[in-house]
Amino acid sequence: MKLQNYLLYGTIICAFWILLTWMILHLNEGHLDKKQLEDYYEELSKRFRAELNFKLDNLDARNVRQLNELHSEINRLQRKLDALKIATHPSEAVQSRSTSTTASKQNDGGKQLKRVGTSDTIAVLLLACNRESYLKKTLDLLLHLRPSAEAFPIIVSHDCNHQATANQIASYGNQITFIKQPDQSAIDLPAKEKKFEGYYKISRHYKFALNQVFKTMDYKYVIIVEDDLEISSDFFSYFGSTRWLLDKDPSIWCISAWNDNGKDSFVSGNEILYRSDFFPGLGWMLKKDLWEELEPKWPAGYWDDWMRNSEQRKDRVCIRPEVCRTRTFGETGVSKGEFYKTHLKFIKLNSDPVDFSRKDLSYLIKDSYDQSFLSRVYGLPEMEYQQALANYKPELTEIRVTYVGLIQFASFAKRFKIMADSKSGVPRGAYKGIVPFMYNGRRIFMTPPKPS
């Protein structure tokens, strides 16, 4: 009954808000001067937000999700009113929008109405749990390197109910938006899975945070980073300049900052970007419409491997760099430092910044890329893997090594010391089975047999 009362109250407020908005936009258009319109805007905004936030603050977490539709309608109306304000007082409207974009309010379960930026705004979602020192390092870098608070607003989502981490996040004040994952209940799992509960909590946190950013805050794009990532100085240039690819090419479903074979000895050429069938993660961008597709079937655990399943990927690709724009320093965490000491700590983070806004990245569009990339790779001189290991004919700067099947790929990969595993039939970093890497100073493409 309590929930029904809240929903009824919210519906009444929303209807009242719609009526007043209509009156402002239509009935009074020819009768109010600029000062009167602006006064209407300010007074209605203050009253409405004060009343609604009071009610929302008294809801429990279970009820918040049911108000998402109401939030979306309010965000739509807010954009209309902002458009009116811009029309009547452009300079002050721009200043107001910039301030609201960086405003931070601590809230439980996303119980606030958030003004979004322009259609080009890319939100940065930082997920945190109980590593306050890790969080500080990552967040300090994000704030220091981002070119604009309006273009890249930062939302920090906190799970785990860890007070020291919560205090650390709150200390950043209005530089960020602070949200809390409200469901801290234990997850019911079979006994053999109980030790992996952390992976299920991470998946739950992702779902909550992405719903808040896309549904409640109504952003169109988001970059996801976790609290143990170091970023390169051109991190924002990379994501800001590749965003358009998500709109232009439906075969591209994410932009990632990560190369699984990104150790220093395996990379060269910090401007090189690839299409990849393998979902890399570790600093990645997606669009709202992809989340609308994935959210209804989001897995209870192991979300990243789930993303790599063919049922989710649907032959779509991620864009990834040759030289990583992120590097993890997370030696401690849910994975207990798995692979960190042997692999992850040796990943090269780009140190020579690239202004990607000055680069023509249209070559990454599927039709253009497939034609040029495949003809280039399969036109290279071919060697046996033993010859490549022995640096046969060192004057050849690019060569091709053919493998047949994933078992042989894994065998060759181990000899070259690149990542040998695959997920759902796709080797790490591969596009159409082709895995590029540097070895002994030259580029090798491990490829399946040439298509007939």
Side-chain angles (χ1 to χ4, degrees), residues 168-387:
Q168 184 70 71
I169 299 169
S171 72
Y172 286 88
N174 64 3
Q175 297 179 86
I176 55 101
T177 296
F178 181 8
I179 62 177
K180 290 183 179 181
Q181 201 286 99
D183 185 359
Q184 297 298 313
S185 61
I187 297 176
D188 187 22
L189 294 170
K192 65 179 181 179
E193 282 288 302
K194 202 64 181 173
K195 63 181 178 180
F196 301 118
E197 184 180 15
Y199 292 103
Y200 290 87
K201 289 185 175 181
I202 289 172
S203 191
R204 181 173 67 184
H205 188 193
Y206 264 79
K207 185 173 183 178
F208 160 79
L210 286 169
N211 272 334
Q212 292 301 312
V213 172
F214 283 130
K215 290 187 174 182
T216 303
M217 301 179 189
D218 201 26
Y219 286 106
K220 186 177 178 182
Y221 312 92
V222 64
I223 303 167
I224 304 171
V225 294
E226 295 190 15
D227 60 358
D228 60 355
L229 286 183
E230 184 178 359
I231 66 171
S232 65
S233 57
D234 58 359
F235 174 91
F236 288 102
S237 173
Y238 172 67
F239 280 109
S241 302
T242 53
R243 176 194 57 80
W244 70 274
L245 293 168
L246 293 173
D247 296 320
K248 178 71 173 178
D249 187 345
S251 73
I252 299 173
W253 72 330
C254 90
I255 311 292
S256 174
W258 183 258
N259 174 12
D260 281 292
N261 291 311
K263 291 181 180 179
D264 196 2
S265 59
F266 296 145
V267 298
S268 175
N270 65 348
E271 297 182 6
I272 301 173
L273 306 181
Y274 293 100
R275 292 171 66 96
S276 174
D277 294 318
F278 191 90
F279 172 75
L282 289 174
W284 59 289
M285 177 168 62
L286 75 159
K287 281 180 64 177
K288 182 177 183 178
D289 58 359
L290 176 61
W291 179 243
E292 290 172 344
E293 172 193 330
L294 298 177
E295 189 267 343
K297 54 181 179 177
W298 190 251
Y302 308 104
W303 69 270
D304 48 353
D305 280 344
W306 178 83
M307 289 278 289
R308 293 165 184 143
N309 291 340
S310 58
E311 293 82 1
Q312 276 62 251
R313 190 170 65 81
K314 298 178 181 177
D315 292 324
R316 293 173 291 193
V317 305
C318 293
I319 302 302
R320 68 161 182 89
E322 166 121 342
V323 181
C324 290
R325 264 60 188 188
T326 57
R327 178 173 59 194
T328 180
F329 52 86
E331 187 172 359
T332 61
V334 171
S335 66
K336 305 290 192 296
E338 184 180 8
F339 302 129
Y340 181 80
K341 292 181 179 179
T342 59
H343 179 70
L344 296 176
K345 70 180 293 185
F346 300 107
I347 293 294
K348 175 182 173 62
L349 182 69
N350 184 55
S351 58
D352 184 12
V354 175
D355 183 356
F356 283 101
S357 68
R358 296 179 177 272
K359 304 298 178 183
D360 180 4
L361 303 180
S362 60
Y363 71 92
L364 293 164
I365 299 296
K366 180 176 173 56
D367 290 343
S368 174
Y369 191 86
D370 285 359
Q371 182 178 2
S372 60
F373 182 71
L374 296 178
S375 62
R376 171 194 166 198
V377 169
Y378 283 104
L380 293 173
E382 185 176 5
M383 283 188 188
E384 297 294 327
Y385 85 93
Q386 297 95 333
Q387 294 175 313

